[in-house]
């Protein structure tokens, strides 16, 4: 592995970890102004009417920034796992498409949530604001399907190119299936999302270790140029 590719693996590793860290950091501010599916009227009022609109929007903006970080990271990972074969190239394209779909869905979720918060603070009936919030809730659940496709394609690409450890590939197949199968579990709070974030963290660690191992191998076997 040359120096540039090693740096790209390091970048991919840190960016995936950064996405999860930022997402969890801004989550309290964001969720304070989000009404979940089936929320009781008192809970919906607290989230959409009496909550701090500034705090909610700050949290939403943090999610926006985190989503952009993910997009950059996801496209870089897809490039690193492209390989030279037709199959790995196709899988890389699937990763790119899934990443764009995931971020686009999150943008739509954010827009619906922001609209619901604005409506709740400006005299719109609570039922209307809640219905708008539910659009965002359903969209967030659907984003799990795009995340699942991304994990499955990345795992398959890692297997095809041999760039990812076997144990991580197998766990990725399981995680991807769970992310897709868990979409209907919207009323349970989308528990599969935690698995998605865990996969990203582990990928970040795997990418950093791969870059470190490559750097160590290069140091032990330096390239010499004949005089």
């Amino acid at each position: 592995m040359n120096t540039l590719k090693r740096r790209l693996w390091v970048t991919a590793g840190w960016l995936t970890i950064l996405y999860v860290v930022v997402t969890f950091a801004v989550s309290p501010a964001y969720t304070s102004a989000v009404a979940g599916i089936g929320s009781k009227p008192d809970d919906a009022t607290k989230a959409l009417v009496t909550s701090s609109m500034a705090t909610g929007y700050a949290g939403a903006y943090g999610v926006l920034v985190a989503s952009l970080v993910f997009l950059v990271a996801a496209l870089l990972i897809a490039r690193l796992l492209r390989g030279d074969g037709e199959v790995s190239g196709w899988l890389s394209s699937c990763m790119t498409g899934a990443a764009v779909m995931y971020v686009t869905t999150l943008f739509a979720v954010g827009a619906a949530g922001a609209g619901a918060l604005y409506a709740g603070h400006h005299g719109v009936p609570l039922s209307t604001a809640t219905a708008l919030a539910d659009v965002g809730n359903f969209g967030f659940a659907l984003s799990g399907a795009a995340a699942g496709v991304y994990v499955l394609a990345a795992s398959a690409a890692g297997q095809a190119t041999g760039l990812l450890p076997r144990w991580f590939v197998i766990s990725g197949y399981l995680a991807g299936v769970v992310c897709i199968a868990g979409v209907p579990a919207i009323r349970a709070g989308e528990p599969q999302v935690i698995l998605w974030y865990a996969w990203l963290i582990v990928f970040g660690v795997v990418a950093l270790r791969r870059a470190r191992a490559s750097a160590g191998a290069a140091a032990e076997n330096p390239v010499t140029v004949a005089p």
Side-chain angles (χ1 to χ4, degrees), residues 52-122:
S52 170
M53 191 162 63
T55 299
Y57 281 162
Y61 184 76
V63 172
L64 168 66
V65 173
S67 300
L68 295 176
V69 171
F70 169 78
L71 181 62
V72 173
L75 297 181
L76 175 56
I77 296 168
R79 181 65 186 88
L80 292 172
L81 295 178
R82 178 179 294 276
D84 299 321
E86 292 296 327
V87 173
S88 60
W90 166 62
L91 292 169
S92 177
S93 297
C94 291
M95 292 174 64
T96 299
V100 172
M101 180 182 296
Y102 177 77
V103 173
T104 301
T105 304
L106 290 185
F107 276 32
V109 169
L117 182 60
Y118 183 87
H121 279 76
H122 288 81

Side-chain angles (χ1 to χ4, degrees), residues 81 151 154-155 164-175 198-204 206-207:
L81 295 178
V151 174
S155 300
L164 296 178
R166 180 176 175 79
W167 64 266
F168 186 63
V169 168
I170 294 174
S171 62
Y173 286 140
L174 296 175
W199 182 88
L200 288 171
I201 289 290
V202 176
F203 175 86
V206 168

